[in-house]
């Protein structure tokens, strides 16, 4: 007979002992150990908790507790047979401990009250919604929009929850309070509807621990294989990914683990199946298969020589002269407080699951830091463009060209040979107009440098390159990081980027369109907002586009870092969150139209 821990055993055991004690008192004596073991053993046997292991525990405890209750004072039978008294006393103690520890057993799904927050327009569960009680206890919905509520002292009664989420809004009552009152019965449920203000729809968290924690506690079905912990990853910084040898490869920045605050600082990686090759629909999730170390934690894939973290960008897959597909990236080595002391190129060895160093680069040979890449053919030549987020650097799409710094070109108005320390605008000798073009060995325009040129009078306002404005307010929007891709549905180039120093320092995500990859990029529409929280380095997953490009998916790093917020969202902080954007949304079209 197996030991089964059940909260009912403790409840029934206590009530049973109370009945036995009352019966003993009615017979003119005080309840004794024999009364306790009598009822406890009967209750335990009825509940199926007594086993051979338990009887051995009784004997062991007997040696410890023997003598604490003298046999002579227990009852007539124990006074005549002290050995029987000792055994019964030991059994009482053992059953008592079984009953006590039963109360510590995990709650069953039926012990929780299920709360789901859904998008009032789609009915889909909304992740990252905070439910806060009147006394300040907060719960956040998991990737299914679910909270498993089982707060001791707050069950079987009406409880009020304030409801809030970045870019979403819950209806306010007459006092302006946004929340709902629900009756929290074990096994019961409630559904709360929240209005989405964001143009993009939040779908799920991709990385970290407890992605579907509450759904699992409630015994619900979840769409991904590793729903609570994958490769011991609790948090991951910005993603780079590319399709290589028929699979989607993913690489991240600094990564947290359970056993210590310092984790993996050398670009852990994973793969997943593409949707058309058996992978999940991106509307549902992503099944990540991490490269893992012997201890089960996500392994380092890009430890370059030297102290400090290794970060990568510019992940690119190109053919070599023999037509063999090869995957490269650029790397930087970091020293405190977050400065780069070395740059270089590396290549991924799929068999070793490791990047190998190919060459070091000087600062001038490393344009567009933090870039994502895309392929585009112009005049019959296939190029790799590096976008950060403006795609102002390109190189021929071959392995040989990618590793040769002399082959890179910049879309620039600076003369060839210009550097950050010494530069000159390239002007036509007669008209004095700026001469734009793809040039080798020259400086890449930047928003900071262009602002300096404008302030000095060397560049007129009508000649500037960076002129992105809010399509609604016409206020300037400074792009930080993002991606560019051609979209078949819109028949134009689209940019997804995070704004620098917007209404949140790095938490506002924008959408823009242009007829050419180099622009002009002039009008942008905000599609995601955050209240004093960061959502940086967004990545548009072109490989996930659906309905001819009408539906697009992008993710970014959700973190309190650089936000000024002192509160970290449990489980979500420092992780990747996926969004979906419908490019046919009338609100989006109205804002992006001239």
């Amino acid at each position: 007979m197996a030991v089964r821990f059940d909260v009912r055993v403790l409840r029934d055991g206590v009530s049973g002992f109370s009945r036995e004690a009352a019966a003993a008192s009615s017979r003119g004596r005080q309840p004794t150990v024999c009364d306790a073991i009598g009822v406890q053993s009967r209750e335990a046997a009825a509940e199926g908790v007594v086993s051979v292991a338990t009887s051995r525990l009784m004997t062991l405890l007997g040696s410890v507790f023997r003598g604490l209750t003298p046999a002579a004072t227990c009852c007539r039978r124990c006074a005549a047979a002290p050995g029987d008294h000792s055994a019964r006393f030991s059994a009482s103690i053992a059953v008592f401990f079984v009953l006590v520890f039963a109360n510590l057993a995990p709650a069953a799904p039926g012990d929780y009250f299920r709360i789901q927050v859904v998008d009032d327009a789609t009915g889909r569960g909304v992740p990252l919604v905070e439910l806060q009680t009147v006394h300040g206890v907060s719960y956040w919905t998991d990737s299914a929009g679910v909270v498993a509520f089982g707060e001791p002292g707050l069950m079987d009664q009406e409880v009020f929850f304030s409801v809030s989420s970045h870019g979403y809004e819950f209806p306010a009552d007459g006092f302006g309070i946004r929340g709902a009152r629900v009756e929290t019965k074990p096994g019961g449920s409630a559904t709360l509807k929240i209005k989405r203000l964001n143009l993009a729809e939040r779908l799920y968290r991709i990385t970290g621990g407890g992605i579907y924690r509450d759904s699992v506690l409630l015994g619900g079905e979840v769409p991904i294989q590793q729903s609570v912990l994958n490769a011991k990853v609790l948090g991951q910084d910005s993603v780079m990914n590319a399709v290589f040898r028929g699979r989607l490869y993913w690489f991240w920045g600094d990564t947290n683990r359970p056993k210590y605050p310092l984790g993996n600082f050398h670009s852990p990686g994973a793969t997943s199946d593409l949707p058309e090759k058996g992978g999940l629909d991106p509307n549902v999730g992503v099944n990540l298969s991490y490269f893992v170390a012997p201890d089960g934690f996500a392994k380092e894939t890009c430890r370059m020589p030297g102290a400090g973290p290794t970060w990568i960008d510019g992940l690119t897959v190109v053919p070599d002269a023999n037509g063999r597909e090869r995957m490269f990236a650029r790397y930087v080595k970091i020293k405190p407080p977050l400065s780069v002391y070395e740059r270089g190129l590396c290549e991924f060895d799929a068999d070793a699951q490791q990047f190998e160093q190919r060459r070091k680069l000087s600062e001038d040979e490393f344009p567009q830091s933090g870039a994502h890449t895309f392929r585009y053919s112009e005049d019959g030549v296939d190029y790799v463009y590096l976008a950060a987020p403006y795609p102002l650097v390109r190189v021929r799409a071959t392995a040989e060209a990618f590793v040769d710094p002399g082959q890179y070109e910049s879309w620039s108005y600076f003369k060839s040979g210009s550097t950050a320390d010494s530069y000159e605008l390239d002007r036509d000798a007669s008209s004095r107009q700026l001469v734009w073009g793809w040039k080798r060995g020259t400086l890449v325009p930047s928003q900071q440098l262009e602002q300096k040129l404008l302030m000095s009078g060397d560049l007129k306002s009508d000649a500037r390159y960076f002129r992105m404005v809010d399509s609604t307010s016409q206020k300037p929007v400074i792009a930080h990081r993002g991606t560019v891709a051609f979209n078949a549905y819109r028949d134009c180039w689209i940019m997804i980027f995070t704004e620098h120093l917007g209404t949140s320092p790095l938490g506002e995500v924008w959408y823009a369109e242009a007829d050419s990859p180099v622009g002009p990029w002039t009008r942008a529409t905000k599609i995601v907002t955050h209240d004093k929280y960061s959502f940086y380095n967004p990545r548009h997953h072109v490989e996930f586009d659906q309905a001819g490009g009408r539906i697009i998916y992008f993710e970014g790093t959700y973190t309190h870092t650089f936000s000024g917020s002192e509160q970290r969202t449990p489980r979500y902080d420092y992780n990747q969150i996926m969004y979906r954007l419908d490019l046919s949304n009338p609100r989006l079209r109205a804002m992006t139209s001239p």
Side-chain angles (χ1 to χ4, degrees), residues 17-222:
F17 177 68
S18 299
R19 294 194 304 271
E20 199 77 6
S25 297
S26 68
R27 293 194 294 270
R29 63 178 179 81
Q30 295 298 315
T32 68
V33 170
C34 289
D35 300 318
I37 188 57
V39 66
Q40 288 177 347
S41 61
R42 287 197 299 273
E43 298 287 353
E47 291 290 342
V49 299
V50 176
S51 67
V52 174
T54 304
S55 67
R56 290 174 179 170
L57 178 61
M58 294 175 184
T59 303
L60 176 63
L61 290 173
S63 65
V64 177
F65 293 103
R66 183 180 295 116
L68 293 182
T69 302
T73 62
C74 182
C75 65
R76 185 182 306 167
R77 185 171 56 175
C78 287
D84 292 343
H85 162 78
S86 179
R88 283 193 295 275
F89 182 78
S90 301
S92 177
I93 294 296
V95 173
F96 173 77
F97 275 104
V98 168
L99 295 173
V100 168
F101 285 116
N103 197 38
L104 303 180
D111 294 323
Y112 291 105
F113 179 73
R114 183 181 188 271
I115 306 173
Q116 185 175 33
V117 182
V118 301
D119 188 316
D120 68 355
T122 67
R124 177 176 179 138
V126 181
L128 191 58
V129 178
E130 182 181 6
L131 306 180
Q132 188 177 81
T133 65
V134 172
H135 64 323
V137 179
S138 291
Y139 305 83
W140 280 267
T141 57
D142 69 6
S143 285
V146 169
V147 164
F149 183 77
E151 185 71 25
L154 292 183
M155 301 300 288
D156 292 304
Q157 62 181 292
E158 288 188 332
V159 177
F160 182 87
F161 293 95
S162 297
V163 183
S164 62
S165 186
H166 304 286
Y168 289 76
E169 185 177 79
F170 198 79
D173 63 15
F175 295 98
I177 299 173
R178 300 183 185 278
R181 183 171 56 209
V182 297
E183 190 169 353
T184 58
K185 289 188 175 296
S189 65
T191 299
L192 308 179
K193 295 183 178 181
I194 194 168
K195 180 181 180 180
R196 174 160 47 92
L197 305 178
N198 286 335
L199 289 175
E201 180 183 6
R202 190 182 306 133
L203 297 182
Y204 50 81
R205 183 154 52 90
I206 306 171
T207 62
I211 293 176
Y212 284 95
R213 170 189 179 271
D214 294 79
S215 297
V216 170
L217 289 174
L218 288 161
E221 294 184 2
V222 297

Side-chain angles (χ1 to χ4, degrees), residues 510-569:
W510 296 74
Y511 170 91
E513 297 181 348
D515 294 329
S516 158
V518 294
W521 299 95
T522 58
R523 294 168 55 84
T525 300
K526 186 182 292 189
I527 55 176
V528 173
T529 187
H530 290 86
D531 180 16
K532 204 175 180 182
Y533 227 87
S534 295
F535 191 82
Y536 57 62
N537 296 345
R539 167 67 170 167
H540 169 199
H541 294 291
V542 179
E543 60 279 355
F544 289 164
D545 284 0
Q546 296 174 330
R550 180 176 64 83
I551 304 297
I552 67 172
Y553 295 82
F554 64 91
E555 67 173 279
T557 304
Y558 175 82
T559 176
H560 76 294
T561 307
F562 311 122
S563 71
S565 175
E566 297 180 358
Q567 183 187 48
R568 296 192 301 170
T569 308

Side-chain angles (χ1 to χ4, degrees), residues 6 62 71 100 104 142 173 190 197 215 337 342 348 411 480 499 520 592:
D6 193 319
V100 168
L104 303 180
D142 69 6
D173 63 15
L197 305 178
S215 297
E342 182 180 297
F348 189 70
W411 180 252
H480 179 253
E499 180 184 9
T592 54

Side-chain angles (χ1 to χ4, degrees), residues 133-466:
T133 65
V134 172
H135 64 323
V137 179
S138 291
Y139 305 83
W140 280 267
T141 57
D142 69 6
S143 285
V146 169
V147 164
F149 183 77
E151 185 71 25
L154 292 183
M155 301 300 288
D156 292 304
Q157 62 181 292
E158 288 188 332
V159 177
F160 182 87
F161 293 95
S162 297
V163 183
S164 62
S165 186
H166 304 286
Y168 289 76
E169 185 177 79
F170 198 79
D173 63 15
F175 295 98
I177 299 173
R178 300 183 185 278
R181 183 171 56 209
V182 297
E183 190 169 353
T184 58
K185 289 188 175 296
S189 65
T191 299
L192 308 179
K193 295 183 178 181
I194 194 168
K195 180 181 180 180
R196 174 160 47 92
L197 305 178
N198 286 335
L199 289 175
E201 180 183 6
R202 190 182 306 133
L203 297 182
Y204 50 81
R205 183 154 52 90
I206 306 171
T207 62
I211 293 176
Y212 284 95
R213 170 189 179 271
D214 294 79
S215 297
V216 170
L217 289 174
L218 288 161
E221 294 184 2
V222 297
I224 59 175
Q225 294 169 355
Q226 304 294 333
S227 58
V228 291
L229 191 64
N230 192 354
K232 300 184 180 181
V233 169
L234 290 184
Q236 293 195 288
D237 206 348
S238 311
V239 72
M240 291 278 162
N241 65 354
V243 177
F244 180 54
R245 298 185 180 180
R247 290 180 64 79
L248 187 56
Y249 278 69
W250 308 69
F251 299 96
W252 296 270
D254 301 343
T255 295
N256 296 334
R257 65 190 306 170
K259 75 175 186 180
Y260 195 68
L262 300 180
N264 184 338
F265 297 95
H266 301 279
S267 304
T271 66
S272 67
D273 291 319
L274 291 164
E276 64 270 22
K277 294 187 176 181
L280 291 177
D281 184 328
N283 177 54
V284 173
V286 179
N287 276 323
L288 294 171
S289 298
Y290 280 89
F291 307 126
V292 296
D295 65 355
F297 181 48
K299 66 171 287 189
E300 300 171 351
T301 69
C302 193
R303 179 183 278 273
M304 294 294 112
T310 309
W311 297 347
I312 66 171
D313 71 11
L315 189 69
T316 303
V317 176
V318 288
D320 61 17
N322 298 318
R324 185 167 63 97
E325 193 175 61
R326 295 164 69 180
M327 183 159 63
F328 297 92
R330 307 186 308 171
Y331 76 85
V332 293
K333 296 293 296 185
I334 305 297
K335 65 180 180 180
L338 286 180
S339 61
V340 176
Y341 72 88
E342 182 180 297
R343 301 163 178 83
L345 292 169
C346 53
E347 181 177 0
F348 189 70
D349 182 334
D351 295 328
Q353 300 175 351
Q354 191 78 32
F355 281 96
E356 303 293 340
Q357 187 182 55
R358 285 292 170 260
R359 65 178 301 165
K360 294 182 181 181
L361 298 173
S362 68
E363 185 173 358
D364 291 336
E365 294 173 329
F366 195 92
Q368 293 285 81
S369 178
H372 292 274
T373 64
F374 63 87
R375 299 269 290 272
Y376 177 54
S377 293
E378 187 172 7
D379 297 328
V381 180
D382 193 15
Y383 291 95
V384 172
Y385 284 69
L386 286 80
Y390 295 97
L392 300 180
V393 175
R394 73 180 188 181
V395 64
R396 288 184 177 238
T398 67
E400 293 76 17
F402 193 85
V403 298
D404 181 359
Q407 297 295 311
Y408 285 74
E409 302 174 335
S410 302
W411 180 252
S412 180
Y413 45 41
F414 292 106
K415 284 187 174 182
S416 295
S418 293
T419 67
D421 298 322
S422 176
Y423 51 83
E424 183 180 355
L425 292 172
D426 192 356
R427 296 186 181 276
D428 181 81
S430 57
S431 69
R432 304 303 297 162
Q433 296 295 313
L434 288 176
V435 177
W436 280 94
W438 288 107
K439 308 169 186 179
R440 292 185 181 179
T442 194
L443 187 62
V444 181
S446 70
Q447 295 174 88
Q448 294 80 4
L449 182 54
E450 187 170 274
Q451 185 63 28
K452 182 179 178 180
L453 292 170
L454 288 167
M455 293 182 67
S456 68
D458 292 329
L459 187 69
K460 301 300 182 183
S461 178
D462 59 357
R464 72 192 190 279
Y465 176 79
F466 302 100

